[in-house]
Amino acid sequence: MDEAIDFRALVALEPALAELEADVRAVRDDGTAPFFCSNYEWLPLDGRLKTLVGTDRRRFRPRAGEPPVLHDGRAYEVAYLALSRLLPPCRACGCRRFHAWRAEEAEEARRRR
C-alpha cells in the first residue's frame, strides 16, 4: 500500500464494509443496563472486519485479481480506526483503564500511515 487510503475508498473496493459500518452504527447504549462495554460489542464486529480487509482476508475471502490493498494490514488499521470510533463509549464496565492505551494505539496507527 504505497499511497494512503481512506475508509470510503476501502468501502468502494469491498462493499461488505458498508454493511459492517451499518451494524456498528446500530450499536446503542440505551442506559437501561447497569453497564455498557464498547469492547464487548466490538469483538464480534472486529472478527467480521478481519475477514474483509487485512492479512486474514486471503484466508476467508480468496479471490483472484482483487486489489492487493484489501490484504494489507494498514487497510485493516484504517477500517478499525474508522469503525471502532463509531461505537458508544464504555460506561461503568471496567474497561476505563484501557481507554488511554486504546487512544495511544490509535495515535500510533495514525503515525504509521
mmCIF file of all heavy atoms in Angstrom, residues 1 4-12 14 16-18 20-22 24-25 42 45-46 48-55 57 69-87 102 106 109-110 113:
data_model
loop_
_atom_site.group_PDB
_atom_site.id
_atom_site.type_symbol
_atom_site.label_atom_id
_atom_site.label_comp_id
_atom_site.label_asym_id
_atom_site.label_seq_id
_atom_site.Cartn_x
_atom_site.Cartn_y
_atom_site.Cartn_z
ATOM 1 N N MET A 1 0.855 -1.165 0.000
ATOM 2 C CA MET A 1 0.000 0.000 0.000
ATOM 3 C C MET A 1 0.901 1.227 0.000
ATOM 4 O O MET A 1 1.313 1.696 1.038
ATOM 5 C CB MET A 1 -0.906 -0.031 1.237
ATOM 6 C CG MET A 1 -2.039 0.938 1.190
ATOM 7 S SD MET A 1 -3.319 0.565 2.401
ATOM 8 C CE MET A 1 -2.833 1.650 3.723
ATOM 9 N N ALA A 4 -1.677 6.535 0.739
ATOM 10 C CA ALA A 4 -2.664 6.438 1.816
ATOM 11 C C ALA A 4 -4.033 6.124 1.223
ATOM 12 O O ALA A 4 -4.367 6.537 0.123
ATOM 13 C CB ALA A 4 -2.720 7.751 2.592
ATOM 14 N N ILE A 5 -4.797 5.346 1.947
ATOM 15 C CA ILE A 5 -6.158 5.014 1.524
ATOM 16 C C ILE A 5 -7.091 5.326 2.676
ATOM 17 O O ILE A 5 -6.726 5.164 3.840
ATOM 18 C CB ILE A 5 -6.276 3.542 1.077
ATOM 19 C CG1 ILE A 5 -7.611 3.302 0.389
ATOM 20 C CG2 ILE A 5 -6.049 2.592 2.224
ATOM 21 C CD1 ILE A 5 -7.657 2.046 -0.436
ATOM 22 N N ASP A 6 -8.269 5.800 2.352
ATOM 23 C CA ASP A 6 -9.221 6.100 3.416
ATOM 24 C C ASP A 6 -10.329 5.052 3.442
ATOM 25 O O ASP A 6 -10.425 4.194 2.569
ATOM 26 C CB ASP A 6 -9.772 7.522 3.289
ATOM 27 C CG ASP A 6 -10.635 7.730 2.059
ATOM 28 O OD1 ASP A 6 -10.973 6.759 1.357
ATOM 29 O OD2 ASP A 6 -10.996 8.882 1.793
ATOM 30 N N PHE A 7 -11.160 5.154 4.459
ATOM 31 C CA PHE A 7 -12.195 4.154 4.664
ATOM 32 C C PHE A 7 -13.175 4.108 3.499
ATOM 33 O O PHE A 7 -13.571 3.035 3.058
ATOM 34 C CB PHE A 7 -12.923 4.401 5.987
ATOM 35 C CG PHE A 7 -13.970 3.369 6.272
ATOM 36 C CD1 PHE A 7 -13.608 2.062 6.569
ATOM 37 C CD2 PHE A 7 -15.309 3.686 6.235
ATOM 38 C CE1 PHE A 7 -14.564 1.086 6.826
ATOM 39 C CE2 PHE A 7 -16.281 2.730 6.493
ATOM 40 C CZ PHE A 7 -15.900 1.427 6.784
ATOM 41 N N ARG A 8 -13.582 5.246 2.981
ATOM 42 C CA ARG A 8 -14.540 5.268 1.860
ATOM 43 C C ARG A 8 -13.970 4.560 0.638
ATOM 44 O O ARG A 8 -14.694 3.874 -0.081
ATOM 45 C CB ARG A 8 -14.935 6.704 1.497
ATOM 46 C CG ARG A 8 -15.773 7.363 2.544
ATOM 47 C CD ARG A 8 -17.175 6.739 2.616
ATOM 48 N NE ARG A 8 -17.612 6.713 3.979
ATOM 49 C CZ ARG A 8 -18.212 5.700 4.576
ATOM 50 N NH1 ARG A 8 -18.502 4.614 3.940
ATOM 51 N NH2 ARG A 8 -18.554 5.758 5.841
ATOM 52 N N ALA A 9 -12.684 4.708 0.392
ATOM 53 C CA ALA A 9 -12.049 4.005 -0.733
ATOM 54 C C ALA A 9 -12.085 2.497 -0.501
ATOM 55 O O ALA A 9 -12.303 1.724 -1.443
ATOM 56 C CB ALA A 9 -10.619 4.497 -0.926
ATOM 57 N N LEU A 10 -11.897 2.081 0.731
ATOM 58 C CA LEU A 10 -11.972 0.649 1.041
ATOM 59 C C LEU A 10 -13.392 0.127 0.842
ATOM 60 O O LEU A 10 -13.582 -0.977 0.327
ATOM 61 C CB LEU A 10 -11.508 0.381 2.478
ATOM 62 C CG LEU A 10 -10.021 0.558 2.739
ATOM 63 C CD1 LEU A 10 -9.726 0.448 4.233
ATOM 64 C CD2 LEU A 10 -9.205 -0.456 1.951
ATOM 65 N N VAL A 11 -14.387 0.916 1.226
ATOM 66 C CA VAL A 11 -15.784 0.511 1.034
ATOM 67 C C VAL A 11 -16.078 0.346 -0.455
ATOM 68 O O VAL A 11 -16.784 -0.584 -0.854
ATOM 69 C CB VAL A 11 -16.754 1.520 1.683
ATOM 70 C CG1 VAL A 11 -18.200 1.224 1.307
ATOM 71 C CG2 VAL A 11 -16.594 1.499 3.203
ATOM 72 N N ALA A 12 -15.514 1.214 -1.276
ATOM 73 C CA ALA A 12 -15.725 1.106 -2.723
ATOM 74 C C ALA A 12 -15.139 -0.196 -3.261
ATOM 75 O O ALA A 12 -15.694 -0.802 -4.186
ATOM 76 C CB ALA A 12 -15.107 2.304 -3.441
ATOM 77 N N GLU A 14 -14.585 -2.987 -1.271
ATOM 78 C CA GLU A 14 -15.225 -4.105 -0.562
ATOM 79 C C GLU A 14 -16.544 -3.618 0.020
ATOM 80 O O GLU A 14 -16.598 -3.129 1.149
ATOM 81 C CB GLU A 14 -14.308 -4.646 0.533
ATOM 82 C CG GLU A 14 -14.923 -5.730 1.401
ATOM 83 C CD GLU A 14 -15.575 -6.848 0.608
ATOM 84 O OE1 GLU A 14 -14.860 -7.761 0.185
ATOM 85 O OE2 GLU A 14 -16.808 -6.793 0.413
ATOM 86 N N ALA A 16 -18.981 -5.003 1.379
ATOM 87 C CA ALA A 16 -19.426 -5.591 2.650
ATOM 88 C C ALA A 16 -19.006 -4.731 3.836
ATOM 89 O O ALA A 16 -19.600 -4.833 4.917
ATOM 90 C CB ALA A 16 -18.883 -7.008 2.797
ATOM 91 N N LEU A 17 -18.023 -3.855 3.655
ATOM 92 C CA LEU A 17 -17.649 -2.932 4.725
ATOM 93 C C LEU A 17 -18.788 -1.963 5.046
ATOM 94 O O LEU A 17 -18.941 -1.541 6.183
ATOM 95 C CB LEU A 17 -16.390 -2.149 4.351
ATOM 96 C CG LEU A 17 -15.073 -2.915 4.444
ATOM 97 C CD1 LEU A 17 -13.946 -2.122 3.798
ATOM 98 C CD2 LEU A 17 -14.748 -3.254 5.879
ATOM 99 N N ALA A 18 -19.589 -1.617 4.053
ATOM 100 C CA ALA A 18 -20.737 -0.733 4.294
ATOM 101 C C ALA A 18 -21.764 -1.426 5.186
ATOM 102 O O ALA A 18 -22.366 -0.792 6.063
ATOM 103 C CB ALA A 18 -21.371 -0.305 2.974
ATOM 104 N N LEU A 20 -21.057 -3.744 7.397
ATOM 105 C CA LEU A 20 -20.450 -3.769 8.721
ATOM 106 C C LEU A 20 -20.568 -2.397 9.386
ATOM 107 O O LEU A 20 -20.904 -2.305 10.573
ATOM 108 C CB LEU A 20 -18.983 -4.200 8.625
ATOM 109 C CG LEU A 20 -18.214 -4.284 9.934
ATOM 110 C CD1 LEU A 20 -18.877 -5.233 10.920
ATOM 111 C CD2 LEU A 20 -16.776 -4.689 9.671
ATOM 112 N N GLU A 21 -20.349 -1.347 8.625
ATOM 113 C CA GLU A 21 -20.491 0.004 9.176
ATOM 114 C C GLU A 21 -21.914 0.234 9.692
ATOM 115 O O GLU A 21 -22.109 0.806 10.777
ATOM 116 C CB GLU A 21 -20.142 1.050 8.125
ATOM 117 C CG GLU A 21 -20.267 2.467 8.639
ATOM 118 C CD GLU A 21 -19.973 3.520 7.594
ATOM 119 O OE1 GLU A 21 -19.918 3.208 6.392
ATOM 120 O OE2 GLU A 21 -19.807 4.693 7.995
ATOM 121 N N ALA A 22 -22.901 -0.208 8.943
ATOM 122 C CA ALA A 22 -24.297 -0.054 9.380
ATOM 123 C C ALA A 22 -24.536 -0.806 10.688
ATOM 124 O O ALA A 22 -25.225 -0.300 11.589
ATOM 125 C CB ALA A 22 -25.246 -0.544 8.295
ATOM 126 N N VAL A 24 -22.264 -1.475 12.976
ATOM 127 C CA VAL A 24 -21.557 -0.742 14.039
ATOM 128 C C VAL A 24 -22.396 0.459 14.462
ATOM 129 O O VAL A 24 -22.586 0.717 15.648
ATOM 130 C CB VAL A 24 -20.156 -0.301 13.572
ATOM 131 C CG1 VAL A 24 -19.519 0.642 14.577
ATOM 132 C CG2 VAL A 24 -19.253 -1.511 13.338
ATOM 133 N N ARG A 25 -22.938 1.188 13.499
ATOM 134 C CA ARG A 25 -23.756 2.370 13.804
ATOM 135 C C ARG A 25 -25.045 2.001 14.551
ATOM 136 O O ARG A 25 -25.605 2.823 15.267
ATOM 137 C CB ARG A 25 -24.096 3.125 12.526
ATOM 138 C CG ARG A 25 -22.911 3.855 11.924
ATOM 139 C CD ARG A 25 -23.312 4.673 10.698
ATOM 140 N NE ARG A 25 -22.180 5.310 10.085
ATOM 141 C CZ ARG A 25 -21.618 6.444 10.502
ATOM 142 N NH1 ARG A 25 -22.095 7.058 11.566
ATOM 143 N NH2 ARG A 25 -20.585 6.953 9.865
ATOM 144 N N TRP A 42 -17.576 -4.677 20.298
ATOM 145 C CA TRP A 42 -16.649 -4.612 19.174
ATOM 146 C C TRP A 42 -16.100 -5.985 18.776
ATOM 147 O O TRP A 42 -15.859 -6.234 17.586
ATOM 148 C CB TRP A 42 -15.489 -3.666 19.494
ATOM 149 C CG TRP A 42 -14.443 -3.667 18.431
ATOM 150 C CD1 TRP A 42 -13.181 -4.179 18.521
ATOM 151 C CD2 TRP A 42 -14.576 -3.165 17.092
ATOM 152 N NE1 TRP A 42 -12.524 -4.021 17.330
ATOM 153 C CE2 TRP A 42 -13.361 -3.405 16.433
ATOM 154 C CE3 TRP A 42 -15.605 -2.564 16.389
ATOM 155 C CZ2 TRP A 42 -13.139 -3.048 15.107
ATOM 156 C CZ3 TRP A 42 -15.391 -2.200 15.061
ATOM 157 C CH2 TRP A 42 -14.174 -2.443 14.441
ATOM 158 N N LEU A 45 -17.730 -7.751 15.859
ATOM 159 C CA LEU A 45 -17.637 -6.878 14.689
ATOM 160 C C LEU A 45 -16.214 -6.899 14.132
ATOM 161 O O LEU A 45 -16.004 -6.935 12.917
ATOM 162 C CB LEU A 45 -18.050 -5.456 15.060
ATOM 163 C CG LEU A 45 -19.495 -5.299 15.539
ATOM 164 C CD1 LEU A 45 -19.698 -3.951 16.209
ATOM 165 C CD2 LEU A 45 -20.473 -5.513 14.401
ATOM 166 N N ASP A 46 -15.245 -6.894 15.022
ATOM 167 C CA ASP A 46 -13.849 -6.947 14.601
ATOM 168 C C ASP A 46 -13.532 -8.270 13.905
ATOM 169 O O ASP A 46 -12.776 -8.297 12.929
ATOM 170 C CB ASP A 46 -12.925 -6.754 15.800
ATOM 171 C CG ASP A 46 -11.472 -6.634 15.389
ATOM 172 O OD1 ASP A 46 -11.153 -5.800 14.512
ATOM 173 O OD2 ASP A 46 -10.649 -7.380 15.950
ATOM 174 N N ARG A 48 -15.531 -9.926 12.050
ATOM 175 C CA ARG A 48 -16.043 -9.747 10.681
ATOM 176 C C ARG A 48 -15.114 -8.848 9.875
ATOM 177 O O ARG A 48 -14.836 -9.117 8.705
ATOM 178 C CB ARG A 48 -17.451 -9.159 10.712
ATOM 179 C CG ARG A 48 -18.488 -10.147 11.188
ATOM 180 C CD ARG A 48 -19.846 -9.512 11.380
ATOM 181 N NE ARG A 48 -20.322 -8.762 10.226
ATOM 182 C CZ ARG A 48 -21.290 -7.854 10.301
ATOM 183 N NH1 ARG A 48 -21.879 -7.600 11.440
ATOM 184 N NH2 ARG A 48 -21.676 -7.214 9.212
ATOM 185 N N LEU A 49 -14.643 -7.769 10.491
ATOM 186 C CA LEU A 49 -13.746 -6.848 9.800
ATOM 187 C C LEU A 49 -12.495 -7.561 9.301
ATOM 188 O O LEU A 49 -12.054 -7.349 8.166
ATOM 189 C CB LEU A 49 -13.360 -5.690 10.730
ATOM 190 C CG LEU A 49 -12.344 -4.696 10.178
ATOM 191 C CD1 LEU A 49 -12.860 -4.027 8.912
ATOM 192 C CD2 LEU A 49 -11.984 -3.680 11.251
ATOM 193 N N LYS A 50 -11.949 -8.418 10.115
ATOM 194 C CA LYS A 50 -10.720 -9.127 9.740
ATOM 195 C C LYS A 50 -10.903 -10.038 8.533
ATOM 196 O O LYS A 50 -9.941 -10.353 7.853
ATOM 197 C CB LYS A 50 -10.183 -9.913 10.932
ATOM 198 C CG LYS A 50 -9.604 -9.012 11.991
ATOM 199 C CD LYS A 50 -9.156 -9.793 13.198
ATOM 200 C CE LYS A 50 -8.565 -8.846 14.229
ATOM 201 N NZ LYS A 50 -8.204 -9.528 15.469
ATOM 202 N N THR A 51 -12.129 -10.457 8.273
ATOM 203 C CA THR A 51 -12.357 -11.272 7.068
ATOM 204 C C THR A 51 -12.509 -10.403 5.824
ATOM 205 O O THR A 51 -12.437 -10.916 4.711
ATOM 206 C CB THR A 51 -13.614 -12.159 7.207
ATOM 207 O OG1 THR A 51 -14.781 -11.347 7.197
ATOM 208 C CG2 THR A 51 -13.544 -13.033 8.442
ATOM 209 N N LEU A 52 -12.715 -9.104 6.011
ATOM 210 C CA LEU A 52 -12.957 -8.205 4.882
ATOM 211 C C LEU A 52 -11.710 -7.472 4.407
ATOM 212 O O LEU A 52 -11.540 -7.245 3.206
ATOM 213 C CB LEU A 52 -14.039 -7.190 5.245
ATOM 214 C CG LEU A 52 -15.400 -7.778 5.607
ATOM 215 C CD1 LEU A 52 -16.345 -6.679 6.046
ATOM 216 C CD2 LEU A 52 -15.969 -8.556 4.433
ATOM 217 N N VAL A 53 -10.865 -7.039 5.320
ATOM 218 C CA VAL A 53 -9.626 -6.337 4.960
ATOM 219 C C VAL A 53 -8.507 -6.790 5.882
ATOM 220 O O VAL A 53 -8.740 -7.179 7.014
ATOM 221 C CB VAL A 53 -9.751 -4.800 5.032
ATOM 222 C CG1 VAL A 53 -10.698 -4.269 3.991
ATOM 223 C CG2 VAL A 53 -10.148 -4.330 6.407
ATOM 224 N N GLY A 54 -7.313 -6.712 5.378
ATOM 225 C CA GLY A 54 -6.150 -7.050 6.183
ATOM 226 C C GLY A 54 -5.591 -8.421 5.845
ATOM 227 O O GLY A 54 -6.003 -9.068 4.883
ATOM 228 N N THR A 55 -4.662 -8.836 6.656
ATOM 229 C CA THR A 55 -3.914 -10.054 6.352
ATOM 230 C C THR A 55 -4.740 -11.330 6.452
ATOM 231 O O THR A 55 -4.382 -12.338 5.845
ATOM 232 C CB THR A 55 -2.687 -10.162 7.276
ATOM 233 O OG1 THR A 55 -3.131 -10.115 8.636
ATOM 234 C CG2 THR A 55 -1.710 -9.026 7.021
ATOM 235 N N ARG A 57 -7.813 -11.614 5.291
ATOM 236 C CA ARG A 57 -8.774 -11.645 4.181
ATOM 237 C C ARG A 57 -8.525 -12.824 3.242
ATOM 238 O O ARG A 57 -9.444 -13.509 2.843
ATOM 239 C CB ARG A 57 -8.740 -10.344 3.396
ATOM 240 C CG ARG A 57 -9.716 -10.381 2.230
ATOM 241 C CD ARG A 57 -9.628 -9.131 1.380
ATOM 242 N NE ARG A 57 -10.397 -9.287 0.169
ATOM 243 C CZ ARG A 57 -11.682 -8.993 0.033
ATOM 244 N NH1 ARG A 57 -12.359 -8.525 1.059
ATOM 245 N NH2 ARG A 57 -12.301 -9.160 -1.117
ATOM 246 N N VAL A 69 -4.484 -4.031 -1.894
ATOM 247 C CA VAL A 69 -4.707 -3.220 -0.705
ATOM 248 C C VAL A 69 -5.675 -3.890 0.260
ATOM 249 O O VAL A 69 -5.577 -3.702 1.474
ATOM 250 C CB VAL A 69 -5.199 -1.796 -1.093
ATOM 251 C CG1 VAL A 69 -6.598 -1.848 -1.685
ATOM 252 C CG2 VAL A 69 -5.168 -0.872 0.105
ATOM 253 N N LEU A 70 -6.585 -4.689 -0.250
ATOM 254 C CA LEU A 70 -7.547 -5.359 0.633
ATOM 255 C C LEU A 70 -6.875 -6.367 1.560
ATOM 256 O O LEU A 70 -7.441 -6.741 2.583
ATOM 257 C CB LEU A 70 -8.641 -6.045 -0.189
ATOM 258 C CG LEU A 70 -9.571 -5.096 -0.944
ATOM 259 C CD1 LEU A 70 -10.532 -5.895 -1.827
ATOM 260 C CD2 LEU A 70 -10.328 -4.195 0.010
ATOM 261 N N HIS A 71 -5.670 -6.782 1.230
ATOM 262 C CA HIS A 71 -4.931 -7.759 2.043
ATOM 263 C C HIS A 71 -3.884 -7.098 2.934
ATOM 264 O O HIS A 71 -3.180 -7.777 3.665
ATOM 265 C CB HIS A 71 -4.248 -8.785 1.138
ATOM 266 C CG HIS A 71 -5.217 -9.550 0.310
ATOM 267 N ND1 HIS A 71 -5.881 -10.651 0.786
ATOM 268 C CD2 HIS A 71 -5.664 -9.349 -0.948
ATOM 269 C CE1 HIS A 71 -6.691 -11.109 -0.151
ATOM 270 N NE2 HIS A 71 -6.584 -10.337 -1.211
ATOM 271 N N ASP A 72 -3.778 -5.789 2.848
ATOM 272 C CA ASP A 72 -2.740 -5.056 3.565
ATOM 273 C C ASP A 72 -3.183 -4.779 5.009
ATOM 274 O O ASP A 72 -4.305 -4.339 5.240
ATOM 275 C CB ASP A 72 -2.476 -3.743 2.830
ATOM 276 C CG ASP A 72 -1.202 -3.065 3.291
ATOM 277 O OD1 ASP A 72 -1.091 -2.784 4.503
ATOM 278 O OD2 ASP A 72 -0.321 -2.825 2.449
ATOM 279 N N GLY A 73 -2.311 -5.028 5.950
ATOM 280 C CA GLY A 73 -2.619 -4.778 7.352
ATOM 281 C C GLY A 73 -2.936 -3.320 7.641
ATOM 282 O O GLY A 73 -3.700 -3.010 8.549
ATOM 283 N N ARG A 74 -2.351 -2.413 6.859
ATOM 284 C CA ARG A 74 -2.645 -0.998 7.065
ATOM 285 C C ARG A 74 -4.086 -0.673 6.679
ATOM 286 O O ARG A 74 -4.700 0.214 7.253
ATOM 287 C CB ARG A 74 -1.645 -0.136 6.306
ATOM 288 C CG ARG A 74 -0.245 -0.225 6.959
ATOM 289 C CD ARG A 74 0.806 0.395 6.110
ATOM 290 N NE ARG A 74 1.012 -0.485 4.944
ATOM 291 C CZ ARG A 74 1.890 -0.271 3.999
ATOM 292 N NH1 ARG A 74 2.647 0.808 4.039
ATOM 293 N NH2 ARG A 74 2.030 -1.115 2.997
ATOM 294 N N ALA A 75 -4.638 -1.406 5.719
ATOM 295 C CA ALA A 75 -6.053 -1.215 5.368
ATOM 296 C C ALA A 75 -6.933 -1.621 6.549
ATOM 297 O O ALA A 75 -7.943 -0.971 6.830
ATOM 298 C CB ALA A 75 -6.412 -2.023 4.122
ATOM 299 N N TYR A 76 -6.549 -2.689 7.232
ATOM 300 C CA TYR A 76 -7.280 -3.083 8.440
ATOM 301 C C TYR A 76 -7.230 -1.952 9.470
ATOM 302 O O TYR A 76 -8.238 -1.620 10.084
ATOM 303 C CB TYR A 76 -6.702 -4.373 9.037
ATOM 304 C CG TYR A 76 -7.231 -4.621 10.426
ATOM 305 C CD1 TYR A 76 -8.478 -5.197 10.619
ATOM 306 C CD2 TYR A 76 -6.506 -4.212 11.542
ATOM 307 C CE1 TYR A 76 -8.986 -5.379 11.900
ATOM 308 C CE2 TYR A 76 -7.008 -4.386 12.816
ATOM 309 C CZ TYR A 76 -8.243 -4.968 12.990
ATOM 310 O OH TYR A 76 -8.755 -5.130 14.252
ATOM 311 N N GLU A 77 -6.058 -1.352 9.665
ATOM 312 C CA GLU A 77 -5.925 -0.271 10.635
ATOM 313 C C GLU A 77 -6.837 0.904 10.295
ATOM 314 O O GLU A 77 -7.479 1.476 11.171
ATOM 315 C CB GLU A 77 -4.473 0.209 10.713
ATOM 316 C CG GLU A 77 -3.541 -0.775 11.374
ATOM 317 C CD GLU A 77 -2.101 -0.305 11.365
ATOM 318 O OE1 GLU A 77 -1.819 0.835 10.929
ATOM 319 O OE2 GLU A 77 -1.245 -1.078 11.805
ATOM 320 N N VAL A 78 -6.891 1.255 9.006
ATOM 321 C CA VAL A 78 -7.754 2.357 8.565
ATOM 322 C C VAL A 78 -9.213 2.033 8.889
ATOM 323 O O VAL A 78 -9.944 2.858 9.445
ATOM 324 C CB VAL A 78 -7.574 2.625 7.050
ATOM 325 C CG1 VAL A 78 -8.677 3.515 6.497
ATOM 326 C CG2 VAL A 78 -6.202 3.226 6.784
ATOM 327 N N ALA A 79 -9.638 0.831 8.551
ATOM 328 C CA ALA A 79 -11.026 0.430 8.798
ATOM 329 C C ALA A 79 -11.306 0.331 10.299
ATOM 330 O O ALA A 79 -12.364 0.765 10.771
ATOM 331 C CB ALA A 79 -11.325 -0.895 8.104
ATOM 332 N N TYR A 80 -10.381 -0.214 11.048
ATOM 333 C CA TYR A 80 -10.537 -0.315 12.502
ATOM 334 C C TYR A 80 -10.741 1.064 13.118
ATOM 335 O O TYR A 80 -11.661 1.275 13.923
ATOM 336 C CB TYR A 80 -9.312 -1.000 13.122
ATOM 337 C CG TYR A 80 -9.248 -0.848 14.619
ATOM 338 C CD1 TYR A 80 -9.986 -1.671 15.450
ATOM 339 C CD2 TYR A 80 -8.477 0.155 15.202
ATOM 340 C CE1 TYR A 80 -9.962 -1.519 16.821
ATOM 341 C CE2 TYR A 80 -8.440 0.317 16.574
ATOM 342 C CZ TYR A 80 -9.183 -0.519 17.381
ATOM 343 O OH TYR A 80 -9.152 -0.356 18.736
ATOM 344 N N LEU A 81 -9.882 2.009 12.760
ATOM 345 C CA LEU A 81 -9.991 3.350 13.326
ATOM 346 C C LEU A 81 -11.309 4.010 12.945
ATOM 347 O O LEU A 81 -11.955 4.650 13.775
ATOM 348 C CB LEU A 81 -8.816 4.214 12.876
ATOM 349 C CG LEU A 81 -7.467 3.848 13.492
ATOM 350 C CD1 LEU A 81 -6.355 4.661 12.843
ATOM 351 C CD2 LEU A 81 -7.478 4.058 14.991
ATOM 352 N N ALA A 82 -11.732 3.838 11.709
ATOM 353 C CA ALA A 82 -12.981 4.449 11.260
ATOM 354 C C ALA A 82 -14.187 3.850 11.971
ATOM 355 O O ALA A 82 -15.084 4.573 12.411
ATOM 356 C CB ALA A 82 -13.127 4.290 9.746
ATOM 357 N N LEU A 83 -14.213 2.539 12.104
ATOM 358 C CA LEU A 83 -15.393 1.866 12.650
ATOM 359 C C LEU A 83 -15.445 1.861 14.175
ATOM 360 O O LEU A 83 -16.500 2.098 14.761
ATOM 361 C CB LEU A 83 -15.471 0.438 12.118
ATOM 362 C CG LEU A 83 -15.705 0.315 10.619
ATOM 363 C CD1 LEU A 83 -15.607 -1.138 10.179
ATOM 364 C CD2 LEU A 83 -17.047 0.918 10.232
ATOM 365 N N SER A 84 -14.335 1.586 14.810
ATOM 366 C CA SER A 84 -14.371 1.473 16.272
ATOM 367 C C SER A 84 -14.733 2.796 16.932
ATOM 368 O O SER A 84 -15.328 2.814 18.006
ATOM 369 C CB SER A 84 -13.047 0.939 16.807
ATOM 370 O OG SER A 84 -11.996 1.864 16.594
ATOM 371 N N ARG A 85 -14.419 3.897 16.293
ATOM 372 C CA ARG A 85 -14.767 5.214 16.841
ATOM 373 C C ARG A 85 -16.262 5.479 16.816
ATOM 374 O O ARG A 85 -16.741 6.389 17.487
ATOM 375 C CB ARG A 85 -14.068 6.305 16.043
ATOM 376 C CG ARG A 85 -12.605 6.353 16.249
ATOM 377 C CD ARG A 85 -12.020 7.453 15.420
ATOM 378 N NE ARG A 85 -10.578 7.470 15.562
ATOM 379 C CZ ARG A 85 -9.767 7.940 14.658
ATOM 380 N NH1 ARG A 85 -10.239 8.459 13.548
ATOM 381 N NH2 ARG A 85 -8.477 7.920 14.853
ATOM 382 N N LEU A 86 -17.000 4.725 16.029
ATOM 383 C CA LEU A 86 -18.443 4.933 15.912
ATOM 384 C C LEU A 86 -19.221 4.349 17.086
ATOM 385 O O LEU A 86 -20.390 4.682 17.280
ATOM 386 C CB LEU A 86 -18.959 4.311 14.607
ATOM 387 C CG LEU A 86 -18.380 4.876 13.320
ATOM 388 C CD1 LEU A 86 -18.909 4.085 12.122
ATOM 389 C CD2 LEU A 86 -18.692 6.355 13.177
ATOM 390 N N LEU A 87 -18.603 3.471 17.846
ATOM 391 C CA LEU A 87 -19.296 2.830 18.974
ATOM 392 C C LEU A 87 -19.461 3.796 20.137
ATOM 393 O O LEU A 87 -18.608 4.656 20.365
ATOM 394 C CB LEU A 87 -18.511 1.609 19.445
ATOM 395 C CG LEU A 87 -18.486 0.424 18.493
ATOM 396 C CD1 LEU A 87 -17.499 -0.620 18.987
ATOM 397 C CD2 LEU A 87 -19.872 -0.174 18.349
ATOM 398 N N ARG A 102 -5.874 2.481 24.406
ATOM 399 C CA ARG A 102 -6.524 2.444 23.090
ATOM 400 C C ARG A 102 -6.242 3.741 22.326
ATOM 401 O O ARG A 102 -5.968 3.712 21.136
ATOM 402 C CB ARG A 102 -8.025 2.224 23.255
ATOM 403 C CG ARG A 102 -8.762 2.117 21.958
ATOM 404 C CD ARG A 102 -10.215 1.834 22.207
ATOM 405 N NE ARG A 102 -10.939 1.789 20.951
ATOM 406 C CZ ARG A 102 -12.231 1.924 20.841
ATOM 407 N NH1 ARG A 102 -12.967 2.089 21.914
ATOM 408 N NH2 ARG A 102 -12.816 1.889 19.688
ATOM 409 N N ALA A 106 -4.272 4.040 18.759
ATOM 410 C CA ALA A 106 -4.862 4.714 17.606
ATOM 411 C C ALA A 106 -3.923 5.789 17.076
ATOM 412 O O ALA A 106 -3.747 5.926 15.861
ATOM 413 C CB ALA A 106 -6.215 5.310 17.974
ATOM 414 N N ALA A 109 -1.073 4.152 15.204
ATOM 415 C CA ALA A 109 -1.514 3.682 13.896
ATOM 416 C C ALA A 109 -1.616 4.850 12.914
ATOM 417 O O ALA A 109 -1.244 4.719 11.744
ATOM 418 C CB ALA A 109 -2.871 2.969 14.005
ATOM 419 N N ARG A 110 -2.098 5.993 13.372
ATOM 420 C CA ARG A 110 -2.177 7.182 12.505
ATOM 421 C C ARG A 110 -0.803 7.622 12.061
ATOM 422 O O ARG A 110 -0.593 8.001 10.921
ATOM 423 C CB ARG A 110 -2.874 8.329 13.248
ATOM 424 C CG ARG A 110 -4.360 8.317 13.090
ATOM 425 C CD ARG A 110 -4.980 9.611 13.641
ATOM 426 N NE ARG A 110 -6.033 9.241 14.554
ATOM 427 C CZ ARG A 110 -5.944 9.128 15.866
ATOM 428 N NH1 ARG A 110 -4.844 9.406 16.489
ATOM 429 N NH2 ARG A 110 -6.966 8.745 16.593
ATOM 430 N N ARG A 113 0.733 5.587 9.146
ATOM 431 C CA ARG A 113 0.171 5.762 7.798
ATOM 432 C C ARG A 113 0.903 6.795 7.036
ATOM 433 O O ARG A 113 1.620 7.554 7.220
ATOM 434 C CB ARG A 113 -1.296 6.151 7.866
ATOM 435 C CG ARG A 113 -2.147 4.972 8.225
ATOM 436 C CD ARG A 113 -3.594 5.226 7.977
ATOM 437 N NE ARG A 113 -4.140 5.894 9.146
ATOM 438 C CZ ARG A 113 -5.117 6.771 9.109
ATOM 439 N NH1 ARG A 113 -5.653 7.141 8.003
ATOM 440 N NH2 ARG A 113 -5.583 7.321 10.195
#
